[in-house]
Amino acid sequence: MSVEELKAKIQQLEAELKQLRDDKGGAREKIAQMSGEVVDSNPYSRLMALKRMGIVEDYEKIRTHTVAVVGVGGVGSVTAEMLTRCGIGKLLLFDYDKVELANMNRLFFQPHQAGLSKVAAAANTLQFINPDVTFETHNYNITTVDNFDHFMDRIKTGSLTGGPVDLVLSCVDNYEARMAVNRACNELGQTWFESGVAENAVSGHIQFLIPGEIACFDCAPPLVVASQIDERTLKREGVCAASLPTTMGIVAGMLVQNVLKYLLNFGQVSYYLGYNALVDFFPTMTVKPNPQCEDSWCRKRQAEYNAKKAAEPKVEKVVVEEKAVVHEDNEWGISLVDETAPEEASSEPQVSGLAKGITVAYERPAPTSTEEEANVVQSEDTSLDDLMAQMKSL
Amino acid sequence: MSVEELKAKIQQLEAELKQLRDDKGGAREKIAQMSGEVVDSNPYSRLMALKRMGIVEDYEKIRTHTVAVVGVGGVGSVTAEMLTRCGIGKLLLFDYDKVELANMNRLFFQPHQAGLSKVAAAANTLQFINPDVTFETHNYNITTVDNFDHFMDRIKTGSLTGGPVDLVLSCVDNYEARMAVNRACNELGQTWFESGVAENAVSGHIQFLIPGEIACFDCAPPLVVASQIDERTLKREGVCAASLPTTMGIVAGMLVQNVLKYLLNFGQVSYYLGYNALVDFFPTMTVKPNPQCEDSWCRKRQAEYNAKKAAEPKVEKVVVEEKAVVHEDNEWGISLVDETAPEEASSEPQVSGLAKGITVAYERPAPTSTEEEANVVQSEDTSLDDLMAQMKSL
């Protein structure tokens, strides 16, 4: 090695040592105000360039926002990192798990963090990456009674200004935790995103939920991406699920991209966006809430939303009604997983129309009234014919 | 300091680093053979589960593969990390840039690495994350004459067994570097992937290139994802491009997912996959090579491929010819960027048919013969009608 190379190596080793010795020290000072100045030392120059490019009108607004990330695993950790690097105001992290070497096949965590709680390890690294972000961590399971109450309280009062958070992002890997987030968000009228990755690691989805306006997680069986392989998104006990950094990175990217579109008001937020990795197929759709939803808070939010819509000037109402109601059969030909919901919900209808490429995680009992079918609107199908041709050729 | 003193200093720093890492839970030992054992201490358990799930037949095969990553920026660094965590055999990293704080809005690099070369900083972190992977780094610009020859040599002999690498991944941000990778791969008959992200940060794409079989980067103007905003993928001098960790993470994920499908033989590799972040639209298509391509090695590879196909038993040939040749007009209605190629190429035709949602980075001069149009096959369109409706409602 040349002297120059040796010196570079020393510089690099010293930098690594600095980080390991003092993770919280931060390599840069806090920055009081985001600047668009184009200099190598400005960590926000490429984000503020979104204004100059005409994409985002007010990028700095991101610093006023608070987002709660529930589940800091393969999707949640990358989600938190993306938001941190984008300069979000505050992040609340919830998880009760520890980092293990078995997590190293996904992005973010590193081997020396094995044994640490995921929320502590994540906050430590993220604070170092961007000291301008405020972090609040909760190392507990949100589904127990006491923790659930505390979780509700933090969603309600955890923002930078002591009010409700702007968004809750569910990045958990099991049905119970999803239902807990759903219940909390319905009761609080809290807008949130759900995300999920299949056990076989080759499909995933994100879903945007506005209580009363869009179907909640309890309105209909969970929607998952159809594939030619038997799968279900919901984790089964005792089975070691496969996972890939690619699928989880893409799902986290789809999630945070839609979070940015929602918070910074650009582009169009997807209500449901799926990803089938085997054929690079990304179905989208929207599902209306179920008037017979088991969740009483969901029904209450629906009544509020309907009253609000009815009170709006007619011109706005027409725009909403212009959306064609499409009832398509699921032409995918994939058999549904033959399993009923953990909580029997006899009053709930089956989903009658699904966008191509999307199916339900399991079937629920037949509806008591066929008139209460979940209405599927705005089914945005993508090239099923081509896809079927491709799949036949596999 | 003398060379001896510098070396001693390095040894000392390395020892300190090792001890600190051990204290923190430690970098892990190398693992001789991938195991599917379901224990928290096994970094490969979730990858080997892909076999049990019926997705991948022989996951361990990944350890025999070598991949070259050209450009270790927003897309390349995440690409290298994903491959490292998946347990790839060997990675060759090429870049001549240094880490800056201005890169902190993308994943992977951390503030303490500012000032280090991207390849050294990346290899250091990646080696720590997975000591089973072999790394080779080249801190130079591949487009200079001497470096280009060396680059060609490493692609040709850089694999674990001293032969050609399995894949080259172009993750660069400028036209000249893409053309250099294209030239090298055509001459070497090397299969590769190209990737790109638009300057406005809200679209990107990946492209799979097999010399002689699929259009090379010089066969036609580069294909980019259409958007309602004036944009071009190719970096202009003096303009500070916007970037987002989301878009770059998704493009890296799409890239590595297709690399895994190609190397491990599952699912279907996409020839061209685009991403429009504003409306979550992912167009796909395939373009045949241009018989009049400027690149003489491309024409040579086309002749070889055609000769090979002609010599194949008829039954196989029929399968190839079954693919319908589709000539569609670009119904997208997006005006092409009015700029000619840096290298004028009068013998090259314009692309006459593009999948919806895909456009070209710039127009080239009119073809000398209309019969030599680039043939577009297998245009896999996705829901333009819905998309147009969405865009109208924006």
Side-chain angles (χ1 to χ4, degrees), chain A residues 113-130:
Chain A
Q113 297 173 314
L116 301 177
S117 83
K118 283 185 178 173
V119 291
N124 207 293
T125 301
L126 296 174
Q127 186 75 83
F128 180 72
I129 290 172
N130 190 347

Side-chain angles (χ1 to χ4, degrees), chain A residues 372-391:
Chain A
E372 259 82 51
E373 284 181 335
N375 291 318
V376 177
V377 295
Q378 203 182 325
S379 161
E380 293 145 33
D381 307 335
T382 20
S383 64
L384 185 71
D385 293 347
D386 289 334
L387 194 71
M388 290 306 287
Q390 287 173 26
M391 285 168 61

Side-chain angles (χ1 to χ4, degrees), chain A residues 127-140:
Chain A
Q127 186 75 83
F128 180 72
I129 290 172
N130 190 347
D132 299 328
V133 180
T134 302
F135 295 92
E136 178 181 313
T137 60
H138 298 287
N139 185 26
Y140 60 56

Side-chain angles (χ1 to χ4, degrees), chain A residues 12 19-21 40 85 102 106 109 112 246-247 257 261 268 270 275 277-278 280 380-383, chain B residues 16 24 40 85 102 106 109-110 124 246-247 257-258 261 268 270 275 277-278 280 381-383 390:
Chain A
Q12 179 198 321
Q19 194 214 359
L20 273 178
R21 281 198 178 121
D40 287 343
R85 291 185 183 265
R106 282 150 276 179
F109 290 116
H112 71 280
T246 45
T247 308
Q257 196 82 284
K261 289 192 277 183
Q268 182 177 310
S270 291
Y275 167 48
L278 295 179
D280 286 329
E380 293 145 33
D381 307 335
T382 20
S383 64
Chain B
E16 278 178 57
K24 293 207 169 207
D40 288 341
R85 291 185 182 264
R106 283 149 274 179
F109 290 116
Q110 298 197 6
N124 203 290
T246 44
T247 308
Q257 196 81 286
N258 278 283
K261 289 192 279 184
Q268 182 179 311
S270 291
Y275 167 49
L278 295 180
D280 287 329
D381 306 334
T382 21
S383 65
Q390 285 172 30

Side-chain angles (χ1 to χ4, degrees), chain B residues 176-313:
Chain B
E176 210 188 349
R178 279 186 179 89
M179 286 298 279
V181 174
N182 186 66
R183 211 169 305 131
C185 291
N186 277 338
E187 182 167 343
L188 297 169
Q190 172 69 54
T191 300
W192 63 293
F193 278 91
E194 130 80 357
S195 67
V197 173
E199 271 194 346
N200 64 15
V202 288
S203 71
H205 70 273
I206 64 163
Q207 194 168 351
F208 183 46
L209 299 102
I210 308 174
E213 197 175 330
I214 320 265
C216 87
F217 191 74
D218 205 14
C219 276
L223 302 174
V224 295
V225 174
S227 82
Q228 47 278 64
I229 297 152
D230 174 39
E231 58 163 277
R232 65 201 84 174
T233 295
L234 308 180
K235 199 180 183 177
R236 282 168 296 184
E237 283 306 311
V239 175
C240 173
S243 58
L244 282 166
T246 44
T247 308
M248 289 187 155
I250 288 171
V251 169
M254 296 187 327
L255 178 62
V256 178
Q257 196 81 286
N258 278 283
V259 166
L260 294 175
K261 289 192 279 184
Y262 173 77
L263 294 177
L264 300 176
N265 196 30
F266 68 99
Q268 182 179 311
V269 178
S270 291
Y271 289 104
Y272 185 96
L273 174 61
Y275 167 49
N276 180 331
L278 295 180
V279 288
D280 287 329
F281 179 57
F282 298 79
T284 58
M285 69 178 294
T286 310
V287 188
K288 272 193 183 172
N290 173 9
Q292 305 258 304
C293 181
E294 279 279 278
D295 187 312
S296 63
W297 280 105
C298 176
R299 297 196 304 272
K300 189 160 185 284
R301 297 298 167 217
Q302 289 183 49
E304 287 169 5
Y305 176 72
N306 292 337
K308 190 183 133 207
K309 294 317 284 182
E312 274 175 7

